[in-house]
């Protein structure tokens, strides 16, 4: 099982030293790293970063785009064509860095492509503009997996790519084999989606390119430790990733504020390994048989088996 976690959560504890954070990741037994681009790598060329990863028995899973400053009124879908072009260029640079550091997934979260008011944007124009930008990016890096991470809102009142269905529609309109979706568990709860549903559909179509694990209550991007709020849903989610042989990193996208980030990460590692062991104990065939019966009472029996 490939495991990664947020660098940002560790930086304050380690004086914003990425090298020290990577050393701690290795000590914790994490296997992979996702870098926010460009903020985590501005002072480290890909060759040096690759050496640091190898030194700490880590591998790059990939990079995640972080758009700042000029992009606050939209990234790929910005009404200013120059800013949209700059966003595309940043994505291309992220692809280059990802390839050079040995990663395979470039995650694009368009946090600012959206709207706050009625009549604020031309929806069809923005849709087509984002689509054309995605075509440019995927064609630029056909050897990498380009993954859309959607979120229903925050920081915009309405995100443009806000849900499983909308993101799925976009990837099929773009029509490139190397474009898929990253499922963020909390984002799905915010949209009142069942995370396992998305994992099942995307996994069966080989379009599940990333998994961000966390937990929450559905009204906010809570970023709680995994399995602490909706354990049964989390187990179902992991079941479908196993069923469809998901082979990229499970990324702990949790937000320790009061908690110590090292202690929290240790609990996330323990929890996902425990969930994996529970599924193995019950057996994939046994769980599949419960699902086939389409019975709420049999689901209750399954929950009791989980708690046994």
């Amino acid at each position: 099982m490939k495991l990664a976690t947020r660098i940002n959560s560790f930086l304050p504890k380690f004086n914003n030293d990425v090298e020290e954070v990577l050393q701690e990741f290795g000590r914790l037994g994490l296997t992979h790293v996702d870098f926010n681009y460009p903020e985590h790598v501005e002072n480290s060329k890909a060759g040096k970063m690759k050496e640091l990863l190898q030194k700490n028995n880590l591998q790059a899973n990939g990079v995640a785009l972080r758009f700042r400053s000029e992009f606050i009124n939209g990234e790929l879908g910005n009404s200013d064509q120059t800013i949209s072009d700059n966003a595309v260029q940043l994505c291309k640079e992220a692809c280059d860095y990802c390839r050079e550091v040995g990663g395979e997934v470039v995650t694009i979260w368009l946090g600012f492509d959206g709207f706050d008011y009625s009549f604020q944007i031309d929806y069809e124009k923005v849709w087509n503009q984002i689509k054309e930008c995605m075509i440019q990016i995927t064609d630029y890096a056909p050897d990498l997996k380009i993954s859309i991470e959607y979120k229903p809102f925050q920081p915009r009142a309405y995100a443009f790519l806000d849900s499983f269905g909308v993101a799925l529609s976009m990837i099929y309109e773009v029509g490139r084999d190397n474009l898929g979706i990253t499922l963020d568990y909390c984002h799905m709860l915010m949209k009142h989606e069942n995370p396992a549903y998305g994992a099942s559909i995307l996994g069966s179509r080989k379009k599940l390119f990333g998994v961000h694990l966390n937990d929450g209550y559905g009204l906010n991007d809570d970023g709680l430790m995994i399995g602490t709020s909706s354990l049964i849903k989390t187990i179902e989610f992991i079941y479908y990733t196993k069923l469809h042989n998901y082979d990229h990193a499970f990324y702990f996208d949790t937000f320790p504020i009061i908690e110590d980030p090292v202690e929290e990460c240790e609990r996330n590692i323990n929890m996902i390994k425990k969930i994996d062991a529970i599924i193995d104990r019950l057996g994939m065939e046994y769980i599949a048989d419960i699902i086939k019966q389409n019975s709420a009472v049999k689901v209750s029996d399954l929950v009791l088996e989980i708690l046994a």
Side-chain angles (χ1 to χ4, degrees):
M1 183 176 282
K2 301 173 182 177
L3 302 177
T5 196
R6 283 170 54 94
I7 292 177
N8 282 7
S9 298
F10 281 69
L11 285 173
K13 183 180 176 71
F14 292 91
N15 299 313
N16 295 313
D17 189 322
V18 173
E19 183 171 353
E20 287 193 24
V21 170
L22 295 181
Q23 290 175 1
E24 186 64 18
F25 283 4
R27 188 196 68 78
L28 285 166
L30 296 168
T31 61
H32 286 69
V33 177
D34 277 82
F35 297 103
N36 287 353
Y37 190 90
E39 62 190 67
H40 290 156
V41 301
E42 288 177 310
N43 299 317
S44 298
K45 292 186 177 180
K48 177 185 176 183
M49 189 64 78
K50 196 169 184 178
E51 290 178 5
L52 288 175
L53 292 172
Q54 292 171 344
K55 179 181 177 182
N56 293 290
N57 296 312
L58 297 166
Q59 297 179 49
N61 181 56
V63 302
L65 270 297
R66 285 297 180 267
F67 300 94
R68 309 296 187 195
S69 59
E70 67 176 315
F71 302 109
I72 61 172
N73 195 33
E75 300 104 340
L76 302 181
N78 198 296
S79 59
D80 185 326
Q81 188 60 49
T82 299
I83 294 176
S84 177
D85 291 343
N86 289 344
V88 171
Q89 181 59 33
L90 190 66
C91 290
K92 290 179 178 180
E93 292 169 5
C95 290
D96 292 338
Y97 192 93
C98 181
R99 185 184 298 109
E100 291 170 17
V101 83
E104 59 178 353
V105 182
V106 176
T107 306
I108 302 177
W109 168 49
L110 300 175
F112 295 113
D113 268 334
F115 55 97
D116 306 303
Y117 298 93
S118 298
F119 301 105
Q120 188 174 14
I121 65 170
D122 182 331
Y123 307 110
E124 186 176 359
K125 175 182 179 295
V126 172
W127 177 275
N128 290 330
Q129 186 170 319
I130 292 175
K131 180 178 75 172
E132 291 305 316
C133 290
M134 287 293 181
I135 289 172
Q136 288 185 54
I137 296 162
T138 50
D139 286 351
Y140 178 80
D143 56 321
L144 298 174
K145 287 180 166 55
I146 310 300
S147 193
I148 295 171
E149 179 185 354
Y150 66 86
K151 185 178 182 180
F153 54 90
Q154 291 179 343
R156 302 306 294 264
Y158 291 89
F160 200 81
L161 300 183
D162 70 338
S163 62
F164 168 67
V166 170
L168 192 62
S169 295
M170 178 59 75
I171 69 170
Y172 279 112
E173 282 204 22
V174 170
R176 299 300 190 268
D177 289 341
N178 63 325
L179 183 63
I181 294 175
T182 289
L183 294 178
D184 183 295
Y185 190 91
C186 249
H187 295 180
M188 301 186 83
L189 295 182
M190 291 168 71
K191 192 62 177 177
H192 196 60
E193 296 175 339
N194 185 36
Y197 177 19
S200 173
I201 301 302
L202 292 178
S204 66
R205 288 155 175 77
K206 306 303 178 187
K207 287 294 187 179
L208 182 58
F209 287 179
V211 166
H212 290 185
L213 284 179
N214 40 40
D215 213 337
Y217 301 106
L219 298 176
N220 186 54
D221 195 6
D222 297 308
L224 304 181
M225 288 180 281
I226 66 173
T228 54
S229 175
S230 57
L231 177 60
I232 301 302
K233 284 184 181 297
T234 304
I235 294 172
E236 185 190 21
F237 183 78
I238 299 299
Y239 164 78
Y240 279 103
T241 65
K242 289 171 68 71
L243 179 67
H244 295 298
N245 300 308
Y246 173 77
D247 62 355
H248 305 295
F250 290 93
Y251 176 81
F252 303 138
D253 197 6
T254 56
F255 315 146
I257 297 174
I258 300 171
E259 299 75 23
D260 180 274
V262 174
E263 293 179 354
E264 183 186 77
C265 185
E266 288 173 336
R267 272 59 181 186
N268 285 330
I269 292 171
N270 292 342
M271 181 65 79
I272 195 170
K273 289 184 175 180
K274 180 66 173 179
I275 289 172
D276 192 53
I278 287 171
I279 294 170
D280 287 346
R281 171 173 60 83
L282 295 172
M284 297 292 287
E285 292 183 3
Y286 173 75
I287 297 173
D289 183 63
I290 294 291
I291 294 168
K292 288 177 183 177
Q293 294 182 60
N294 189 216
S295 166
V297 294
K298 290 298 182 180
V299 170
S300 181
D301 291 343
L302 175 63
V303 173
L304 289 174
E305 289 281 356
I306 288 171
L307 297 175

